[in-house]
């Protein structure tokens, strides 16, 4: 079993829809949770960063972390064609100097005009 | 542009040749990471530096791979005797010591023929 599971999709929605993206994980030591957006042939771009449990909102984006269920979500409201990209979840634990990120496979999202 | 930069953006080489990639992190960041990403996968951790010290190397990093960060600023990743299986996007990221968030460069796409 991979440490981080993420449905690769593809997910296709009409413009204006609410999008829900999810990851599950197995390592209860993870404390830092991130969502990255990656356009084709580009490096990942940080969207949201959350420490421990709870919700965080930034514009049209909301990140949720449920540590009891080992489940994180990213919601995109009023989705736009420019949101079409691959969305990667990533997480890390505090373990001294070891802060490498563990990644999901990424979910490919297409928002259709 | 004050983000992470990588050079070259694309590299095509023949099997058996050596290649070297460069990464310039965000200037005040003292941590620098190298990842490898293949199509449809999340980034895989290769190695990371804190200042000039290389603190961890993944088992993925065979003897043919070497990374340096001689003055704690830019870093180079060299692959010797390239193999077709080395074809991938090589991503560099940097972070500030007290933060978990890693900021990525645009990547170097390597194709080994």
């Amino acid at each position: 079993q991979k440490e981080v599971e993420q449905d690769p999709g593809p997910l296709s929605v009409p413009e204006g829809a609410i999008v829900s993206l999810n990851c599950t994980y197995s390592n209860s030591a993870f404390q830092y949770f991130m969502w990255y957006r990656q356009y084709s042939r580009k490096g990942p771009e940080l969207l949201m960063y959350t420490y421990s449990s709870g919700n965080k909102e930034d514009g049209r984006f909301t990140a949720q972390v449920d540590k009891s269920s080992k489940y994180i979500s990213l919601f995109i409201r009023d989705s736009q064609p420019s949101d079409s990209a691959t969305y990667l979840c990533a997480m890390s634990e505090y373990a001294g100097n070891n802060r490498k990120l563990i990644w999901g496979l990424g979910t490919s999202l297409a928002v259709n005009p | 542009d004050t983000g992470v930069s990588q050079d070259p953006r694309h590299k095509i080489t023949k099997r058996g040749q050596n290649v070297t990639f460069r990464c310039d992190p965000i200037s005040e960041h003292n941590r620098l990471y190298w990842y490898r990403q293949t199509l449809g996968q999340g980034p895989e951790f290769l190695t990371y530096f804190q200042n000039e010290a290389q603190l961890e190397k993944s088992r993925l990093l065979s003897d043919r791979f070497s990374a340096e960060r001689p003055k704690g600023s830019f870093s180079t990743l060299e692959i010797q005797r390239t193999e077709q299986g080395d074809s991938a996007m090589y991503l560099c990221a940097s972070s500030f010591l007290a933060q978990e968030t890693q900021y990525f460069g645009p990547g170097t796409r390597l194709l080994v023929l």
Side-chain angles (χ1 to χ4, degrees):
Chain A
Q1 182 187 6
K2 291 175 71 75
E3 279 191 284
V4 179
E5 300 277 0
Q6 183 176 11
D7 185 341
L11 184 61
S12 182
V13 302
E15 184 175 355
I18 297 174
V19 177
S20 172
L21 304 166
N22 312 294
C23 289
T24 59
Y25 62 93
S26 58
N27 185 349
S28 57
F30 286 145
Q31 297 187 68
Y32 302 91
F33 304 92
M34 283 137 276
W35 286 96
Y36 284 82
R37 177 174 62 195
Q38 187 172 25
Y39 292 112
S40 180
R41 302 182 180 276
K42 303 287 187 183
E45 168 195 9
L46 180 68
L47 275 180
M48 300 287 284
Y49 165 80
T50 309
Y51 170 69
S52 193
S53 285
N55 293 359
K56 187 171 184 178
E57 187 173 323
D58 184 1
R60 297 184 295 111
F61 299 90
T62 299
Q64 289 185 350
V65 175
D66 182 348
K67 291 190 71 179
S68 62
S69 301
K70 299 191 184 71
Y71 187 89
I72 69 171
S73 300
L74 177 71
F75 298 96
I76 308 174
R77 291 183 299 279
D78 187 24
S79 56
Q80 303 294 310
S82 58
D83 295 328
S84 298
T86 296
Y87 290 80
L88 295 138
C89 64
M91 46 199 81
S92 68
E93 59 179 287
Y94 181 81
N97 285 320
N98 180 356
R99 297 191 182 187
K100 64 179 183 285
L101 295 175
I102 308 299
W103 296 80
L105 291 179
T107 299
S108 176
L109 171 67
V111 180
N112 305 305
Chain B
D1 187 348
T2 57
V4 178
S5 62
Q6 292 186 246
D7 184 67
R9 296 291 307 279
H10 302 92
K11 180 71 178 178
I12 300 174
T13 191
K14 292 182 179 178
R15 186 164 50 95
Q17 298 294 305
N18 299 345
V19 294
T20 300
F21 309 142
R22 176 179 170 126
C23 171
D24 287 87
I26 295 171
S27 59
E28 64 268 24
H29 285 185
N30 38 36
R31 289 206 169 147
L32 186 149
Y33 303 78
W34 284 99
Y35 293 85
R36 180 172 65 190
Q37 186 178 28
T38 53
L39 196 62
Q41 302 291 319
E44 295 174 299
F45 170 80
L46 293 178
T47 188
Y48 92 100
F49 293 83
Q50 182 170 311
N51 300 313
E52 65 275 7
Q54 187 174 19
L55 295 186
E56 185 178 348
K57 293 196 296 184
S58 165
R59 288 188 300 266
L60 294 174
L61 215 63
S62 76
D63 292 344
R64 298 184 296 105
F65 288 70
S66 62
E68 294 183 342
R69 194 183 183 197
K71 296 181 181 179
S73 56
F74 73 91
S75 176
T76 58
L77 178 68
E78 181 183 18
I79 309 174
Q80 296 181 327
R81 304 181 303 282
T82 52
E83 301 173 357
Q84 288 183 325
D86 297 330
S87 297
M89 171 86 93
Y90 289 83
L91 293 163
C92 175
S94 70
S95 70
F96 185 64
L97 183 62
Q99 298 178 1
E100 288 298 324
T101 52
Q102 297 180 18
Y103 296 88
F104 282 79
T108 294
R109 185 170 294 276
L110 172 67
L111 178 60
V112 181
L113 301 176

